[in-house]
Amino acid sequence: MLYQKENLVWYAKYFIYILFLNPFVVFSQGVDNLWLTGYDCGSGSICGVTATNFSSGYPDTSHVNISMNFLDCNANISDSLGNLLFYTNGIYIANSNNDTMVNGSGLSPSSYTTQHINVGLRVKQGNLILPMPGNSNLFYLFHETLTWYSLLGDYRVSELYYSIIDMSLDSGRGVVTQKNNVLLSDTLTIGSISACKHANGRDWWIMVHKAQGRRYYEYLLTLTGLQGPFIQDIGYSILPRDWSWQTCFSPDGSKFANVFTKDTFDILAFDRCTGLFSNCSSICIDDSANARGVAFAPNSELFYISSSKYVYQFSAISTFIDSSKINLGTFDKFAEPIPPFYTAFYLAQLAVNGKIYINTGNSTRYFNVINNPNIIGLGCNFIQHSFILSTYNGLTIPNFPNYFLGKETGSICDSLPLIIGPSNSEQERHSSERLPVRIISD
């Protein structure tokens, strides 16, 4: 009897730990359990698409027979039980039968899209799927494409699109009911579309950055559709030939990180109620890398910068973020199968098992892994090229927001319905009745 009581106490303590200290693992079930990577690189079992499934708590990989290729850009979503609903590479949308969804072809039209129709859109974080608040059948896909600017001799993003998928149609396989709606026309940084739950735990903030300068464009997805744009000028000023490389919100939604091409990243506080950024720290990485990624630990207190040859840990809660920098490792020059296919560090993504996976800036079969990202210092257990995929992956990693973030208890916006009003320190920024544009500078 004593043994049984001790066991009950142990299990109770363990459950409390899991429930309260590691909520990211507990509530991250179903929707973002599946990662799709890979492309047709020729004959053989190591070419094609890998499905990495986290449903068991461990990333199980398998070679799947689908025709879509992923290079840089991908997005997919599953139901709450982990059953795949649809996926896209920025060129077209496929349903759960791996067929092109009804009206799912011809995404993000441009000459660039046409040229890459067989391989997928080459825009990192160029797709993002969000469920429609209050309607479990509707999903918004936010997406971009590239346009050639002859005066610059380079590609740029000139529109942010959205498309709507209704999963109640075509016998549950889904239909694209609206496609390529232009949400924003401006010269934008390439990719880096990110989103965070509103403080009410239902609606979504969607964020993109202008190609040059300090401007963020922000939209709010509510029960009635999209509101915005809301505009804020803050942080590092993007220069010509520079752009955001990867952005992300912390799991608790209180912070936002934006890592740029040219040796700089921003970390900002984020107000989930008003959608405002504040307390920006612009920090020079100073390692002359040209490919970077960023991800937060599950506890939102630490974050990680992957920077070609280095992976750094920073404290997001330190008064002096720059001085909290710890170099976790230098690229060990591993190549697979042979040079120049190196496994150097590229984009990062926090998975539902609480680990951070870092892909490579090459076609390889490996992810680098931070196994215990809540731990300060080398105890976070960063191991290079430690997770092997079933097939070669071309620079691709999912772009998942925290679908399971709840309401911010204690904020003025933690209850429904959504009412956004002025604070004591600012004029009214927006309301649920109109779509204002207001420029706010720090």
Side-chain angles (χ1 to χ4, degrees), residues 256-275:
F256 177 81
N258 189 346
V259 61
F260 304 94
T261 306
K262 294 187 176 180
D263 255 4
T264 301
F265 71 86
D266 279 353
I267 180 165
L268 309 96
F270 183 68
D271 187 325
R272 292 171 56 200
C273 183
T274 65

Side-chain angles (χ1 to χ4, degrees), residues 24-299:
F24 192 84
V25 175
V26 171
F27 296 110
S28 294
Q29 298 175 0
V31 179
D32 54 355
N33 278 354
L34 185 65
W35 294 18
L36 296 174
T37 57
Y39 62 100
D40 183 8
C41 59
S43 60
S45 61
I46 56 175
C47 289
V49 174
T50 292
T52 302
N53 197 319
F54 290 86
S55 295
S56 66
Y58 180 84
D60 297 315
T61 64
S62 60
H63 188 172
V64 292
N65 185 26
I66 65 176
S67 58
M68 184 176 289
N69 291 309
F70 301 99
L71 286 175
D72 282 301
C73 186
N74 81 340
N76 69 79
I77 194 146
S78 302
D79 64 19
S80 60
L81 299 177
N83 301 307
L84 179 64
L85 295 177
F86 64 90
Y87 55 96
T88 177
N89 62 357
I91 304 292
Y92 70 101
I93 301 171
N95 61 30
S96 58
N97 288 347
N98 303 315
D99 297 323
T100 301
M101 184 177 283
V102 175
N103 198 31
S105 61
L107 283 182
S108 307
S110 73
S111 60
Y112 186 92
T113 304
T114 303
Q115 293 166 15
H116 292 80
I117 195 167
N118 294 321
V119 296
L121 191 62
R122 301 299 309 273
V123 178
K124 56 198 178 303
Q125 289 188 297
N127 282 346
L128 183 70
I129 300 169
L130 296 179
M132 174 68 179
N135 190 327
S136 60
N137 288 317
L138 295 183
F139 294 86
Y140 274 68
L141 171 66
F142 298 91
H143 48 109
E144 295 178 345
T145 191
L146 294 173
T147 302
W148 178 257
Y149 281 74
S150 56
L151 293 177
L152 298 174
D154 201 357
Y155 285 98
R156 288 288 187 271
V157 171
S158 56
E159 289 92 18
L160 174 66
Y161 299 96
Y162 74 91
S163 299
I164 299 177
I165 297 92
D166 189 340
M167 292 304 302
S168 70
L169 303 178
D170 193 25
S171 301
R173 291 183 292 268
V175 171
V176 182
T177 56
Q178 295 187 41
K179 185 170 62 178
N180 299 329
N181 294 309
V182 177
L183 183 60
L184 175 64
S185 292
D186 198 354
T187 307
L188 305 173
T189 192
I190 298 172
S192 298
I193 306 172
S194 53
C196 181
K197 276 280 187 75
H198 186 276
N200 63 22
R202 181 196 65 193
D203 303 326
W204 288 95
W205 296 107
I206 301 99
M207 200 77 59
V208 293
H209 200 293
K210 189 172 172 60
Q212 294 184 31
R214 306 162 64 235
R215 178 154 297 179
Y216 285 94
Y217 288 105
E218 189 176 3
Y219 290 85
L220 184 64
L221 179 61
T222 73
L223 293 172
T224 58
L226 286 161
Q227 301 179 19
F230 309 112
I231 299 171
Q232 187 173 6
D233 295 324
I234 190 171
Y236 171 75
S237 183
I238 298 181
L239 303 171
R241 305 292 178 180
D242 194 2
W243 52 85
S244 296
W245 202 271
Q246 188 175 17
T247 62
C248 70
F249 287 91
S250 60
D252 68 1
S254 68
K255 303 169 188 69
F256 177 81
N258 189 346
V259 61
F260 304 94
T261 306
K262 294 187 176 180
D263 255 4
T264 301
F265 71 86
D266 279 353
I267 180 165
L268 309 96
F270 183 68
D271 187 325
R272 292 171 56 200
C273 183
T274 65
L276 286 171
F277 291 124
S278 62
N279 300 327
C280 178
S281 296
S282 296
I283 295 172
C284 180
I285 303 171
D286 196 24
D287 64 9
S288 300
N290 58 5
R292 309 183 195 279
V294 60
F296 282 87
N299 63 10

